[in-house]
């Protein structure tokens, strides 16, 4: 009997130490993985709490400088309302409604060319849904609308090839990595199985992100409610980032090129109730403070732009921006001023700065020549106190020759590290 007890005790002790060693090993491996992928460790942005901290924020709090790049005016380069801007080391690429073609400037704002030719032929397009850049190989991917294809050009404007596969019929297709594209489809009918699908250039599905929003379809009708600024894709740290319209998790790639969740935006009471999603064609009114969000990110900050959902009785939607500091793990909200928001430009006195786009080190936004002139004519500009008076004087000189129908400007802020 004693022998059996001793044998049983020995087995239990061996099992105990073996489990502890395995647990320690697993924890060690887990810690090593977290350290190895420190930038992709999942976190939460407490939007509902941060938005309570609205305040006036000077641009000098996050940026070292702000410059203004006038986009050249000539008979070929006139642009309409800007819908997307992407910067490279040497170029500015702009999608706008003044031309169906992508327009290319250099980094001083000098017009270079339109990319491609207008039409419905094999190497032509009449309307683009979205464009994306492979900066390493200097390639441009243009997802067309009517012809349902992706045209590839190089940075010199030369046609390279055409891509065509089943997923091109989805709302937007963007270049993601190597020979892969990612397509996005919103929940318009309630029956879409995936929000995002990664495919290779042959059209084979390689990865997916499941659509979390679905409902029983009634009849054949379906529609989408689109918002300016509610983006599905953005780039930072040389990686594509993805967010669905009603899913508050942002996804990106890890070092093994697997799509993983990166962070969660906790809207709490500001999140639109699932039963009131406009695509469900409900007759119920939307609460005023239910927000869509659009995102852009730098090396240090995440800019969470938000706005009220469209509603028949909401003629004056709220808009704003929550700023999250990835290093300090806290944030603030930009205070609205006459239904407008932006960082106060205390560096050179220019217009308030809205962080519409960004990369690792820059935040940038377009401003029309009319809005620039109206502001430079205002008492607010004339009476502003700034850190660099000589730069304010240059803006005043610019205003003497500025015309209201000139092309837009890019405002570019160099962010602090």
């Amino acid at each position: 009997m004693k022998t059996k007890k001793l044998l049983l005790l020995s087995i239990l002790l061996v099992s105990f130490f073996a489990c502890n060693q395995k647990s320690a090993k697993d924890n060690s491996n887990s810690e090593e993985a977290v350290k190895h992928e420190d930038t992709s460790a999942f976190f939460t942005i407490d939007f509902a709490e941060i938005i309570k901290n609205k305040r006036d924020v000077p641009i000098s709090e996050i940026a070292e400088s702000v410059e203004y790049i006038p986009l050249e005016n000539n008979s070929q380069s006139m642009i309409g309302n800007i819908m997307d801007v992407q910067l490279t080391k040497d170029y500015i690429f702009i999608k706008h409604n003044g031309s169906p073609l992508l327009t290319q400037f250099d980094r001083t704002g000098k017009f270079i060319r339109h990319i491609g030719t207008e039409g419905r032929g094999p190497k032509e397009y009449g309307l683009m849904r979205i464009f994306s850049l492979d900066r390493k190989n200097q390639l441009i991917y243009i997802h067309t609308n009517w012809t349902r294809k992706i045209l590839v050009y190089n940075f010199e404007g030369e046609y390279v090839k055409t891509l065509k596969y089943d997923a091109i019929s989805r709302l937007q297709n963007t270049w993601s990595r190597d020979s892969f594209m990612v397509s996005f489809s919103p929940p318009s009918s309630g029956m879409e199985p995936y929000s995002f699908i990664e495919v290779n250039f042959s059209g084979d599905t390689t990865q997916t992100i499941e659509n979390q929003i679905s409902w029983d379809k009634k009849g054949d009708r379906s529609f989408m409610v689109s918002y300016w600024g509610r983006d599905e894709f953005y780039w930072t740290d040389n990686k594509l980032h993805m967010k669905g319209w009603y899913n508050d998790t942002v996804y990106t790639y890890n070092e093994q090129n697997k799509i993983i969740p990166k962070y969660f935006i906790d809207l709490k009471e500001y999140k639109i109730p699932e039963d009131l999603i406009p695509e469900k064609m409900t007759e119920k009114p939307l609460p005023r403070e239910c927000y869509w969000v659009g995102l852009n990110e730098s090396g240090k900050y995440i800019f969470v732009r938000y706005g009220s959902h469209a509603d028949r009785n909401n003629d004056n939607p709220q808009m704003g921006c929550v700023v999250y500091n990835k290093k300090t793990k806290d944030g603030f909200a930009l205070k609205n001023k006459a239904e407008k928001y932006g960082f106060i430009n205390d560096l050179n006195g220019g217009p308030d700065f809205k962080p519409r786009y960004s990369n690792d080190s820059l935040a940038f936004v377009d401003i029309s020549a009319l809005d620039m002139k109206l502001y430079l004519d205002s008492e607010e500009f004339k009476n502003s106190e700034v850190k660099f008076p000589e730069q304010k004087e240059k803006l005043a000189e610019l205003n003497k020759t500025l015309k209201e129908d000139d092309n837009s400007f890019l405002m570019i802020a160099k962010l602090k590290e």
Side-chain angles (χ1 to χ4, degrees):
M1 191 70 179
K2 288 183 179 180
T3 302
K4 288 183 179 180
K5 288 182 178 180
L6 286 172
L7 181 59
L8 179 59
L9 180 59
S10 299
I11 292 171
L12 290 173
L13 287 173
V14 168
S15 300
F16 174 79
F17 285 116
C19 289
N20 277 353
Q21 287 173 357
K22 184 179 184 301
S23 176
K25 185 177 180 180
D26 288 348
N27 288 335
S28 175
N29 289 339
S30 176
E31 289 171 3
E32 285 176 8
V34 170
K35 289 177 183 177
H36 186 60
E37 294 186 12
D38 185 50
T39 57
S40 56
F42 189 81
F43 59 94
T44 296
I45 297 177
D46 193 346
F47 178 97
E49 189 63 30
I50 295 173
I51 201 173
K52 297 175 184 177
N53 182 25
K54 286 186 180 181
R55 60 183 176 90
D56 292 325
V57 184
I59 191 66
S60 61
E61 187 169 315
I62 69 164
E64 299 175 359
S65 63
V66 176
E67 66 171 320
Y68 304 87
I69 298 179
L71 301 175
E72 182 183 4
N73 292 277
N74 63 41
S75 58
Q76 289 183 296
S77 67
M78 294 303 295
I79 60 176
N81 293 327
I82 293 176
M83 294 177 278
D84 192 13
V85 179
Q86 295 193 40
L87 302 183
T88 71
K89 179 183 176 182
D90 300 311
Y91 301 117
I92 301 168
F93 294 95
I94 294 181
K95 175 187 175 186
H96 59 98
N97 65 6
S99 169
L101 303 177
L102 183 66
T103 305
Q104 182 183 16
F105 297 84
D106 69 16
R107 283 299 295 264
T108 69
K110 180 178 175 58
F111 172 74
I112 299 177
R113 64 177 65 87
H114 296 296
I115 303 297
T117 54
E118 185 177 354
R120 298 197 183 189
K123 301 179 182 180
E124 301 172 330
Y125 62 102
L127 185 65
M128 78 177 95
R129 291 184 172 186
I130 187 175
F131 77 96
S132 49
L133 303 178
D134 174 357
R135 290 168 172 80
K136 179 181 178 182
N137 297 301
Q138 297 198 335
L139 294 174
I140 306 164
Y141 292 82
I142 294 177
H143 183 196
T144 69
N145 191 34
W146 298 320
T147 52
R148 298 290 195 274
K149 58 189 176 184
I150 293 173
L151 296 175
V152 186
Y153 300 86
N154 62 28
F155 281 12
E156 301 303 314
E158 299 167 334
Y159 169 82
V160 177
K161 60 184 174 182
T162 296
L163 300 176
K164 202 151 190 177
Y165 48 80
D166 289 344
I168 289 177
S169 62
R170 287 161 59 87
L171 182 64
Q172 293 183 341
N173 281 253
T174 187
W175 179 83
S176 62
R177 62 184 179 95
D178 302 326
S179 298
F180 293 86
M181 306 287 292
V182 170
S183 68
F184 167 75
S185 182
S188 60
S189 69
M191 302 177 67
E192 296 82 2
Y194 304 110
S195 293
F196 297 92
I197 299 176
E198 183 195 68
V199 298
N200 59 27
F201 283 0
S202 299
D204 302 316
T205 298
T206 50
Q207 297 185 76
T208 60
I209 298 177
E210 186 179 353
N211 177 26
Q212 302 295 325
I213 306 297
S214 62
W215 60 90
D216 293 331
K217 186 177 180 181
K218 297 179 180 179
D220 296 326
R221 292 179 59 202
S222 64
F223 76 110
M224 295 181 297
V225 180
S226 184
Y227 300 89
W228 179 89
R230 181 177 66 178
D231 306 312
E232 299 79 37
F233 303 108
Y234 72 86
W235 279 82
T236 193
D237 192 28
N238 293 318
K239 295 177 183 177
L240 181 69
H241 289 60
M242 298 150 270
K243 180 193 172 298
W245 286 359
Y246 303 110
N247 180 358
D248 299 327
T249 299
V250 175
Y251 295 82
T252 190
Y253 288 93
N254 65 10
E255 292 184 359
Q256 291 74 42
N257 285 324
K258 298 297 183 184
I259 296 176
I260 60 169
K262 180 178 179 180
Y263 63 90
F264 174 70
I265 306 163
D266 193 358
L267 294 171
K268 292 188 174 73
E269 66 268 27
Y270 299 102
K271 182 177 176 64
I272 182 172
E274 189 169 327
D275 63 324
L276 297 183
I277 288 174
E279 282 80 358
K280 291 186 176 183
M281 295 184 284
T282 176
E283 296 298 323
K284 298 178 182 178
L286 283 166
R288 178 173 171 79
E289 291 188 340
C290 284
Y291 297 139
W292 57 262
V293 297
L295 301 161
N296 52 292
E297 184 176 350
S298 70
K300 186 176 181 179
Y301 300 101
I302 297 175
F303 302 97
V304 185
R305 294 167 281 106
Y306 65 88
S308 301
H309 276 272
D311 186 80
R312 299 178 185 85
N313 302 314
N314 189 2
D315 297 325
N316 193 18
Q318 298 184 37
M319 296 185 71
C321 183
V322 159
V323 183
Y324 179 79
N325 187 320
K326 293 186 287 184
K327 293 186 177 180
T328 61
K329 309 298 183 186
D330 59 11
F332 55 84
L334 299 180
K335 191 173 182 179
N336 292 59
K337 185 168 54 176
E339 296 301 326
K340 297 181 179 180
Y341 70 92
F343 288 92
I344 297 169
N345 192 338
D346 62 328
L347 293 176
N348 53 40
D352 289 354
F353 190 97
K354 293 184 180 181
R356 176 67 179 87
Y357 312 96
S358 61
N359 58 29
D360 290 349
S361 60
L362 303 174
F364 47 101
V365 67
D366 59 280
I367 179 171
S368 71
L370 174 59
D371 287 342
M372 175 71 91
K373 185 163 185 60
L374 288 173
Y375 180 78
L376 295 180
D377 284 337
S378 71
E379 293 299 315
E380 182 179 356
F381 169 69
K382 296 173 183 176
N383 297 329
S384 61
E385 296 183 4
V386 299
K387 295 183 181 294
F388 303 110
E390 68 282 1
Q391 294 181 17
K392 179 181 177 181
E393 184 58 33
K394 287 182 179 180
L395 287 176
E397 288 296 316
L398 168 69
N399 193 37
K400 294 178 181 179
T401 58
L402 182 60
K403 298 178 182 178
E404 295 178 357
D405 58 353
D406 283 346
N407 267 346
S408 295
F409 289 75
L410 280 190
M411 300 169 56
I412 301 180
K414 182 179 180 181
L415 301 172
K416 295 178 179 178
E417 295 181 358

